[in-house]
Amino acid sequence: MSRSRFLFGLLVLIVQVALGQLPKISGRVYHDKNKNGIYDKGDKVLKGILVSNGKDVVATNTKGIYKIKTLENNPLFIIKPKGYVSPRTPQNNLKFYYLFQELTNKKSFDFPLYINKEKDKVKIALLGDPQSDVIDDIHHVNKLVTEELVKNKPDLIIPLGDLSFDNLNIFKPLSESLGLIGVPVFYVIGNHDLNFGEQELSNRDKTYEASFGPSYYAFEYGNNLFLVLNNNFPINNREYIGKFDEDQLTFVSHITKKFATKYNSIKVFTHIPLEYTSNKEEFISLMNPFDKVLIAAGHTHTQYHSYFQRNQKPAVHQLVGGAVCGAWWQGAHDIHGVPFAMMYDGTPKGYWFLETEDKDYHLSYKVSGAPIEKQMHIWVPENKEWDTEMNILNEPYVYANVFAGGESTKVELSFDGTTWQSMEYYQGVAPELKRFYLLQELERYKGQKLSKMPKPTTKSKHLWRLKISENLSKGMHLIRVRVKDDLLKLQAEDVRVFYKQ
């Protein structure tokens, strides 16, 4: 193209933008049999595939052709259909989009798709805030997540935002690490993934988009409909609120209408929990076509379940899935150089598995570095003769911190393996978190290069306790704690030795 033709085309685009009349573009969606990224003779065109500009959603015709207008600053992307997948990058991200700046170069954009064998039941690893700032944090992610999931491979990985801690250069090594697991990764944007250096608020997600694509989108996988959203709404300077913008709500409206007759449920992934999202009622109303709605979020560095009631429909179930980094990689380091960094509710670092098909789903929590059976921490008083400074922590209670539990969870304790007593649901600071903080205050970790944890004040939403009877005989007792929750499909049991003096 000559310089004069390029400048003329650029001038036309500028005029169109100024008039609010961005040009229409079109393209073809096809099965790329030889995976060369080019539509060849013999490649099958695909009818009824959805394409979006981030607001409007159109379907390809019988010739596999779509036509849609461009929207300023919005990428163009495809809604991944069941049984197909877009080309993967070396980091196992899917290249299902064209960035807005690419759309100014030409008017035709094809989407190649490959055949993808998909089971109706899908196993997904949900990663709450990795919150990576320096390469040290990536080393931690390698040990806590990548090396484990390589051996226990899910079908998909969905990080729930705050991939970085405002250091957007960390996107590349983080995606390289997670890409080694060898399965597709669908990213969610968090507030710490915004580029606050941009003057235009609409450009705050540009660095994220350059690495991972659109900050909100939808896709099918197996017998499931998934929706990835961006409720990090930037305001003045470095501030933000939880909010879905109007274009996004319009996009969600189109998606729900087009898939309502095909799916009974929808699974939604976002960063900021709904209770911190200003227009949550409007969003929840868009979920009305679906009987079951699951939302998975991050952001709080705590774990809990919450429910949002709907008229004549089951409540929306939200899982707030904690953080891979625990509490910001804070506190003393273990023998492997990884900070203990328990979450602010006393949950050890880890991630969730979501096993799902359209009519049902199952959630389970995996503590990094521990067997899958590790679902709780049982705390008992320990009267010490040598390390007497720790005795200040003792209370006449047994505590059970059930990491995946909620208010519907039933927790029982037995001192003899025969007689069971119900434990009291108790919202308070987890005792194991108090212990870590006391050790820090006593300077037991003096000499370590660490980021200090703040005084724990967060009340756990998955803590139970039982007062120890004065009539309990002296000596050693094997305490058993069992957990059952039919609503959350949770069942677990663990033991702890208690010595009564």
Side-chain angles (χ1 to χ4, degrees), residues 163-412:
L163 314 170
S164 76
F165 184 25
D166 300 328
N167 175 15
L168 307 189
N169 293 321
I170 213 73
F171 287 162
K172 186 175 186 293
L174 176 65
S175 63
E176 288 175 342
S177 173
L178 298 181
L180 292 173
I181 297 166
V183 302
V185 187
F186 293 85
Y187 285 90
V188 178
I189 189 172
N191 55 284
H192 284 285
D193 303 322
L194 299 176
N195 187 346
F196 286 100
E198 291 286 349
Q199 295 300 312
E200 294 293 329
L201 297 183
S202 60
N203 286 329
R204 294 276 174 95
D205 58 359
K206 289 308 174 202
T207 303
Y208 172 91
E209 287 182 348
S211 298
F212 306 115
S215 63
Y216 61 92
Y217 53 97
F219 65 98
E220 295 179 274
Y221 199 102
N223 196 29
N224 300 272
L225 174 63
F226 299 110
L227 188 60
V228 174
L229 297 179
N230 173 7
N231 60 348
N232 311 280
F233 193 89
I235 53 177
N236 298 328
N237 197 15
R238 300 188 63 83
E239 299 176 355
Y240 66 92
I241 58 172
K243 181 181 177 181
F244 299 108
D245 63 47
E246 290 304 315
D247 281 0
Q248 192 168 179
L249 290 174
T250 302
F251 168 74
V252 172
S253 175
H254 288 313
I255 292 297
T256 56
K257 288 175 183 176
K258 289 180 181 295
F259 286 105
T261 58
K262 185 175 181 180
Y263 292 103
N264 178 59
S265 70
I266 186 170
K267 291 84 181 175
V268 182
F269 308 101
T270 190
H271 179 63
I272 299 176
L274 275 193
E275 58 267 35
Y276 304 117
T277 303
S278 62
N279 53 352
K280 62 179 179 295
E281 291 84 4
E282 186 176 359
F283 169 75
I284 290 173
S285 70
L286 294 175
M287 298 293 104
N288 281 340
F290 303 100
D291 287 337
K292 290 189 176 181
V293 181
L294 171 68
I295 298 174
H299 190 57
T300 65
H301 297 252
T302 59
Q303 295 192 164
Y304 58 91
H305 301 270
S306 51
Y307 299 87
F308 300 87
Q309 300 302 319
R310 299 187 292 169
N311 291 329
Q312 300 179 331
K313 291 279 188 179
V316 172
H317 175 197
Q318 176 180 255
L319 165 71
V320 178
V324 165
C325 73
W328 304 82
W329 304 118
Q330 293 169 341
H333 294 197
D334 64 19
I335 195 170
H336 303 292
V338 179
F340 286 110
M342 299 185 81
M343 297 179 209
Y344 290 139
D345 58 4
T347 308
K349 302 180 300 299
Y351 47 90
W352 287 78
F353 284 119
L354 166 62
E355 297 175 81
T356 180
E357 56 182 326
D358 180 43
K359 295 181 181 179
D360 207 359
Y361 60 85
H362 176 246
L363 289 160
S364 58
Y365 186 61
K366 172 66 176 65
V367 176
S368 291
I372 192 67
E373 293 79 17
K374 181 65 176 176
Q375 291 295 311
M376 71 185 85
H377 184 90
I378 303 170
W379 177 273
V380 297
E382 294 180 342
N383 289 305
K384 300 176 184 292
E385 296 178 353
W386 183 64
D387 195 2
T388 56
E389 288 179 302
M390 305 307 293
N391 288 335
I392 194 174
L393 298 171
N394 289 336
E395 301 178 50
Y397 289 93
V398 177
Y399 284 88
N401 189 346
V402 183
F403 312 134
E407 291 189 45
S408 60
T409 306
K410 183 178 181 181
V411 183
E412 295 179 310

Side-chain angles (χ1 to χ4, degrees), residues 443-477:
E443 297 187 335
R444 299 289 179 84
Y445 306 126
K446 191 174 182 179
Q448 280 196 16
K449 187 175 178 62
L450 54 81
S451 173
K452 286 190 175 182
M453 62 178 291
K455 184 176 182 178
T457 58
T458 300
K459 294 181 178 180
S460 172
K461 295 183 179 180
H462 41 80
L463 191 64
W464 287 259
R465 71 178 185 177
L466 179 71
K467 191 166 186 177
I468 300 169
S469 172
E470 294 180 359
N471 297 326
L472 185 68
S473 62
K474 294 181 181 180
M476 293 291 179
H477 296 269

